[in-house]
Amino acid sequence: MTASDSLKIKRNLNALVEFSKAVNSSLDLKFILNNVLLTCMGKFFATKGAIAINEKGVLKIILSKGVSEYFEENFPIITIKDVIDETGKFKKITDSGSFVCVEFIQASNKHLGIIFLGDKLNKTPYSNEDIQFLKTILNISATAIQNSMVINELKQVNRTLDTRVNRLNSLFELSKEFGLFAESTKVAKLLVYSVIGQFMISKYAVLIFENEKINIIESKFPPEEINPVLNDINIENIVSAVEKNQLESQYESLSKIGVELIVPMQMQGKTKGVILLGNRINKQQFTESDIEFIYSVGSLAIISIENKRLFKEELEKHKLEEELELAREIQKNLLPSEIKQFKNFEISAENISSKQVGGDYFDVIPRDEENSYIAIADVSGKGVPAALLMANLQAFLKSVCKQGISLIEGTAMMNDLITENVTGGKFITFFWGLINNKNRTISYVNAGHNPPLLVRDGKIIKMEKGGMILGVMKTTYPYITETLQLQKDDLLVLFTDGITEAMDKEQNEYSDERLEKLVLSLNNNSSEEVLKSIQADVKSFTSGAVQSDDITLLVLKVK
């Protein structure tokens, strides 16, 4: 080896040592790459140079010198696979920017990037010695480049984590704020302000789905633009975020008015509303993390709105239950609290509503010392409407009884009054009679009611004489009355269809036949015993099923 060669090697070693110190003194990627590129260009007198770094498989120009300012912008999209052939060898891509020398930057068999070098000033080609020296420089710098890239990734991860932590804190604070508002419009404003503050959005709208209608509770889209669009699309069927590219193909009309993102507001997997967002002022696209945050804020908002609605419904329901309980007490007071007992008659009765209030009615109304009216009725339907009509009937009956008119005239009068007061096809089946304690007689009129059962000597007589039900039409034909002479031990059972039409779990009816068979077996029992026996048998039959109708019984035993 000549003295000249020895000196050259020594200079190269010194240069490599100094280069190593320089690139390893910093973790700044651009500083390291700048040292690498300047060292290589200075060593080989290259006219131009550039370094591309592998970012998730795509080569991206990070640094360039001696090339036009448009070089980086027009650099083609090249992946690592584009520059390595099937054998793992390097493909020639030196046509890009008229570069003549290209080498990989590698660390631990991982491709970190590529360096591009242009022609030498003296126009001589790169020799094998030059290539070897270039590879040495790149090997020395590879570790520093890799460390810097790892640090940058960690910084990015930390920034992402910081963003997520900040957004979690924001969500936590928002969850408390949402709980303070009782109105959906205020919740929507807080939702909008929190999203606008994060993403600087120019246009937005918050839509809530209520009773199969779309309610716009906050919007910066002109009404003349957004309203026609919402009428033409099924926006309530959206279950996941719809981004700009999907909007253009699936919801073109929304895209045309400036919507770039749709985020559903969901509760228990069901879409209760949507957030429509326009473009961001900084023109940036919404990232997956952005959409996740908006979705979370929207979910908090819809939960708050839904909870307020449910709470309001619960209050209204509680208030209604209190009113129904009061109505139950009032209705209970319309029925006789005590039933007058007679020398020759023993009477027992009970009413059981299927709801808090019902449409069944019974009464025992004294006329004088020897005579009293007994009545039973069933208003069509159940609940409050039936209860109101039952109260009307009770008032009409009391008024008629005080006038002392005949059963035929009284029935016609009540029918006419009820016909004037009912709507919607309502009607009343009604039976009433006048019992005489001294003579043991009963005169009655049956206005379409279940015929009461008169049990005598092991046989049943059905009391059917009368006429049409009350409330259908004004009286045109007089009602018919019948007077029966009662005998000792006769049993009279008045009932509503809640008894005979009571159903078991298999939807089988209790039936008239079963009731008749039962009362025949109870002929020798007291009125109270008959009442309890019938109730117990119906309860046993319907065990496990819900009571579907009001039940009313009035039992009269002749002494």
Side-chain angles (χ1 to χ4, degrees):
M1 181 184 296
T2 65
S4 176
D5 291 336
S6 178
L7 181 61
K8 185 177 180 181
I9 292 172
K10 185 175 180 181
R11 285 176 178 173
N12 285 342
L13 286 173
N14 287 335
L16 290 173
V17 170
E18 292 301 319
F19 171 75
S20 178
K21 288 180 181 179
V23 297
N24 286 289
S25 65
S26 175
L27 290 173
D28 182 78
L29 183 60
K30 285 201 171 183
F31 175 82
I32 296 170
L33 297 179
N34 192 56
N35 270 281
V36 172
L37 189 57
L38 288 175
T39 299
C40 292
M41 291 179 67
K43 172 65 180 177
F44 305 119
F45 301 106
T47 57
K48 64 181 74 172
I51 296 179
I53 292 298
N54 177 18
E55 292 186 356
K56 297 180 180 179
V58 177
L59 293 170
K60 181 180 179 182
I61 296 293
I62 301 297
L63 191 66
S64 63
K65 295 186 182 298
V67 297
S68 68
E69 57 183 278
Y70 303 108
F71 169 72
E72 291 185 23
E73 295 178 5
N74 297 323
F75 189 77
I77 298 174
I78 301 174
T79 66
I80 290 295
K81 292 180 180 180
D82 294 328
V83 296
I84 300 177
D85 61 21
E86 295 177 356
T87 64
K89 293 183 179 180
F90 193 71
K91 293 180 182 178
K92 289 186 178 181
I93 56 169
T94 54
D95 291 339
S96 181
S98 302
F99 295 110
V100 297
C101 179
V102 183
E103 283 294 333
F104 268 128
I105 305 171
Q106 299 182 98
S108 305
N109 295 322
K110 182 179 180 181
H111 300 295
L112 304 178
I114 297 177
I115 186 170
F116 302 86
L117 295 174
D119 292 323
K120 292 184 178 182
L121 287 172
N122 57 14
K123 303 300 181 182
T124 61
Y126 286 86
S127 64
N128 289 334
E129 184 180 346
D130 292 338
I131 300 299
Q132 290 300 318
F133 190 80
L134 175 60
K135 288 181 177 181
T136 302
I137 289 175
L138 296 179
N139 287 337
I140 292 171
S141 61
T143 302
I145 293 171
Q146 187 178 39
N147 289 340
S148 177
M149 291 174 68
V150 170
I151 292 298
N152 284 339
E153 288 180 6
L154 288 174
K155 286 181 179 178
Q156 182 60 41
V157 169
N158 284 335
R159 282 194 292 270
T160 302
L161 285 174
D162 287 342
T163 301
R164 287 183 175 274
V165 168
N166 289 334
R167 287 181 175 178
L168 282 173
N169 288 333
S170 297
L171 289 173
F172 178 71
E173 294 300 322
L174 284 170
S175 67
K176 294 190 291 185
E177 293 292 330
F178 281 134
L180 298 176
F181 296 127
E183 298 177 11
S184 59
T185 51
K186 291 184 179 179
V187 173
K189 286 186 182 296
L190 178 59
L191 163 64
V192 167
Y193 293 153
S194 62
V195 172
I196 288 176
Q198 286 279 347
F199 306 107
M200 302 300 293
I201 297 163
S202 57
K203 290 183 178 180
Y204 54 82
V206 179
L207 315 179
I208 302 296
F209 307 142
E210 295 178 332
N211 301 322
E212 299 182 355
K213 293 183 179 179
I214 300 175
N215 183 18
I216 303 175
I217 58 176
E218 192 72 24
S219 177
K220 283 295 181 182
F221 290 97
E224 64 273 14
E225 289 184 3
I226 192 169
N227 289 336
V229 173
L230 295 178
N231 293 330
D232 296 336
I233 60 176
N234 295 322
I235 198 168
E236 58 267 41
N237 294 331
I238 294 175
V239 295
S240 59
V242 182
E243 299 182 55
K244 186 176 181 180
N245 56 343
Q246 293 174 282
L247 270 164
E248 292 172 351
S249 59
Q250 298 178 14
Y251 301 97
E252 185 180 358
S253 55
L254 283 175
S255 179
K256 284 182 178 179
I257 67 172
V259 177
E260 293 196 357
L261 178 66
I262 303 176
V263 180
M265 295 189 289
Q266 293 186 310
M267 185 175 179
Q268 296 179 340
K270 186 176 181 180
T271 301
K272 298 286 188 177
V274 293
I275 305 169
L276 306 181
L277 300 176
N279 66 306
R280 300 172 69 174
I281 294 175
N282 58 12
K283 305 301 181 183
Q284 291 184 0
Q285 297 296 312
F286 292 98
T287 66
E288 186 177 338
S289 177
D290 296 338
I291 295 172
E292 183 182 333
F293 177 74
I294 297 168
Y295 179 85
S296 298
V297 175
S299 295
L300 285 175
I302 201 65
I303 288 171
S304 177
I305 292 172
E306 193 69 8
N307 284 344
K308 297 296 186 301
R309 184 185 68 80
L310 292 173
F311 181 68
K312 185 177 180 181
E313 284 184 359
E314 187 63 28
L315 285 179
E316 291 175 352
K317 181 181 177 183
H318 183 68
K319 183 179 179 181
L320 180 60
E321 287 177 348
E322 287 183 344
E323 291 175 351
L324 285 174
E325 188 60 35
L326 178 60
R328 181 186 179 90
E329 289 300 316
I330 293 172
Q331 186 180 48
K332 187 178 178 180
N333 290 332
L334 296 180
L335 302 176
S337 56
E338 292 184 8
I339 297 176
K340 179 182 177 181
Q341 298 302 318
F342 303 89
K343 178 181 178 182
N344 294 318
F345 298 120
E346 179 184 277
I347 302 175
S348 299
E350 189 164 355
N351 166 266
I352 304 172
S353 297
S354 61
K355 296 182 179 297
Q356 286 172 299
V357 290
D360 278 10
Y361 171 66
F362 78 89
D363 216 335
V364 178
I365 305 171
R367 174 174 159 178
D368 51 44
E369 289 297 324
E370 296 297 336
N371 295 283
S372 290
Y373 295 99
I374 60 172
I376 189 167
D378 185 359
V379 179
S380 63
K382 293 179 282 293
V384 174
L388 291 173
L389 193 51
M390 185 273 271
N392 271 350
L393 172 65
Q394 191 254 12
F396 295 151
L397 177 61
K398 294 272 184 162
S399 177
V400 167
C401 289
K402 286 183 179 180
Q403 295 181 44
I405 60 180
S406 70
L407 294 175
I408 293 175
E409 291 176 319
T411 308
M413 184 183 295
M414 284 188 286
N415 176 56
D416 293 344
L417 288 169
I418 290 168
T419 300
E420 292 175 0
N421 285 274
V422 298
T423 57
K426 293 288 184 182
F427 60 86
I428 303 173
T429 65
F430 178 65
F431 175 96
W432 70 317
L434 181 66
I435 57 174
N436 182 280
N437 181 49
K438 181 178 179 181
N439 300 326
R440 291 182 178 171
T441 59
I442 179 169
S443 300
Y444 73 89
V445 172
N446 188 336
H449 193 75
N450 301 74
L453 307 177
L454 176 58
V455 183
R456 177 184 295 169
D457 299 329
K459 294 181 181 179
I460 290 178
I461 301 171
K462 295 185 178 181
M463 304 170 71
E464 300 176 318
K465 297 292 178 64
M468 66 179 180
I469 56 179
L470 307 183
V472 174
M473 59 184 292
K474 289 288 185 73
T475 306
T476 54
Y477 296 98
Y479 285 88
I480 300 172
T481 186
E482 181 180 30
T483 301
L484 297 176
Q485 179 64 54
L486 300 177
Q487 301 175 10
K488 186 178 183 301
D489 296 329
D490 277 356
L491 177 65
L492 180 59
V493 179
L494 285 67
F495 61 95
T496 60
D497 59 13
I499 295 284
T500 55
E501 294 178 5
M503 292 187 179
D504 63 11
K505 292 186 290 186
E506 283 73 38
Q507 300 297 300
N508 299 310
E509 286 191 354
Y510 184 82
S511 76
D512 290 281
E513 291 78 9
R514 179 163 178 153
L515 176 62
E516 292 170 16
K517 183 178 179 181
L518 177 64
V519 296
L520 283 171
S521 68
L522 300 172
N523 190 40
N524 295 323
N525 294 26
S526 67
S527 64
E528 185 67 21
E529 289 171 340
V530 172
L531 181 78
K532 297 302 180 185
S533 296
I534 295 173
Q535 287 179 334
D537 194 53
V538 172
K539 185 176 180 181
S540 174
F541 178 81
T542 59
S543 178
V546 178
Q547 182 181 338
S548 58
D549 199 359
D550 304 327
I551 292 175
T552 301
L553 274 170
L554 189 151
V555 180
L556 182 147
K557 181 76 173 182
V558 182
K559 297 180 182 179

